[in-house]
Amino acid sequence: MSLTGMNPILMTIPESFESERLIIRAPLYGDGAAVNEAIIESIEELRPWMPWANKIPTIEESEINVRQSRLEFLERTDLRLLLFHKETGRLVGSSGLHRMDWQARNFETGYWVRTSYEGQGYITEAVEAITNFAIQELEANRIEIRCDARNKRSANVAERSGFTLEGILRSEKRAADGSLRDTRIYSKVRGVEF
Ligand SMILES: CC(C)(COP(=O)(O)OP(=O)(O)OC[C@H]1O[C@@H](n2cnc3c(N)ncnc32)[C@H](O)[C@@H]1OP(=O)(O)O)[C@@H](O)C(=O)NCCC(=O)NCCS
């Protein structure tokens, strides 16, 4: 059955799938401690780009955040996905499909990596798997990546994963340091990139 027009709450969406080295799954109650540990390890790298990283969260705050993400996943209002290393079970980072338009089947993906797993291709691997998940399970027509134009590592992920740069929105947002930032918009659309 085509998903177009269906209330997304009725959709059966797998909560877990795999890539070569990762288990990619919806957050579960109890994931807060692992998320908190990864954020604390990575806070200096996260701070310039992620507005929520301006202060170190407590374990309880991370658990609240994970539980809220789980509820949003079940409501289909935001599909956060945590990335776990298959071999060790450690949390590698966080990604997901956000700011969706279920009518148009548009999704935005975002990501951060735990610092000890940076530079090893895990995020590119996750973005490719999540993009395929969106295409196959959610009938995506468009998947978008937005990043601060100064965030070269993030732009590299988009480009390495075969996204096309559509444009740059000038002075579009306040960056974490209070400066105005330009935003690079990348996408993959049905009929062109897939
Ligand atoms: C943006 C961010 C997720 C990118 O992480 P990353 O580790 O550079 O990305 P990947 O996991 O895809 O790794 C790519 C790197 O691994 C290398 N690599 C090693 N093995 C690889 C493999 N099998 N496949 C692909 N790349 C591989 C690549 O050459 C690349 O190295 P380089 O940075 O020296 O060019 C990370 O910098 C981050 O979390 N930043 C803070 C949060 C943030 O900015 N998020 C994005 C907001 S828009």
Side-chain angles (χ1 to χ4, degrees):
M1 179 174 80
S2 165
L3 298 174
T4 309
M6 186 195 239
N7 185 327
I9 206 103
L10 292 173
M11 290 169 62
T12 304
I13 301 179
E15 292 202 8
S16 181
F17 51 98
E18 289 183 18
S19 62
E20 192 190 336
R21 297 174 292 172
L22 299 171
I23 291 173
I24 301 171
R25 66 158 175 81
L28 293 173
Y29 284 26
D31 284 333
V35 170
N36 187 264
E37 188 188 86
I39 291 173
I40 288 173
E41 177 188 310
S42 315
I43 197 78
E44 294 305 326
E45 288 74 28
L46 295 172
R47 196 170 278 136
W49 314 115
M50 313 306 260
W52 50 261
N54 61 351
K55 84 176 232 324
I56 295 176
T58 63
I59 293 185
E60 195 179 50
E61 284 167 343
S62 294
E63 181 62 24
I64 290 168
N65 174 260
V66 152
R67 290 185 183 208
Q68 277 164 348
S69 296
R70 166 138 205 94
L71 297 174
E72 287 162 5
F73 192 102
L74 296 174
E75 280 184 339
R76 281 70 170 106
T77 50
D78 186 277
L79 303 177
R80 183 172 179 191
L81 292 161
L82 298 178
L83 316 175
F84 292 93
H85 193 231
K86 270 189 201 171
E87 242 171 57
T88 60
R90 292 189 89 207
L91 185 92
V92 167
S94 182
S95 182
L97 295 161
H98 316 291
R99 289 171 277 281
M100 56 271 269
D101 177 338
W102 285 108
Q103 298 304 314
R105 299 273 158 182
N106 291 342
F107 304 86
E108 180 184 335
T109 187
Y111 36 75
W112 58 266
V113 73
R114 178 186 203 133
T115 299
S116 50
Y117 287 85
E118 196 172 46
Q120 297 165 66
Y122 288 110
I123 296 301
T124 300
E125 182 177 321
V127 165
E128 287 174 4
I130 290 168
T131 301
N132 288 336
F133 169 80
I135 294 166
Q136 279 152 27
E137 302 291 343
L138 310 179
E139 297 187 0
N141 293 316
R142 171 184 169 89
I143 300 127
E144 195 174 281
I145 294 176
R146 289 176 168 239
C147 65
D148 186 322
R150 297 169 293 193
N151 193 345
K152 188 72 183 115
R153 291 194 84 95
S154 183
N156 285 348
V157 170
E159 286 168 19
R160 216 181 284 115
S161 308
F163 282 70
T164 301
L165 179 65
E166 287 186 327
I168 300 174
L169 304 183
R170 297 170 301 160
S171 300
E172 194 249 347
K173 259 182 178 284
R174 284 267 173 222
D177 67 0
S179 62
L180 279 173
R181 63 167 242 198
D182 294 349
T183 298
R184 290 170 83 89
I185 300 189
Y186 290 91
S187 72
K188 279 192 181 189
V189 301
R190 185 177 292 280
V192 184
E193 286 87 4
F194 60 87

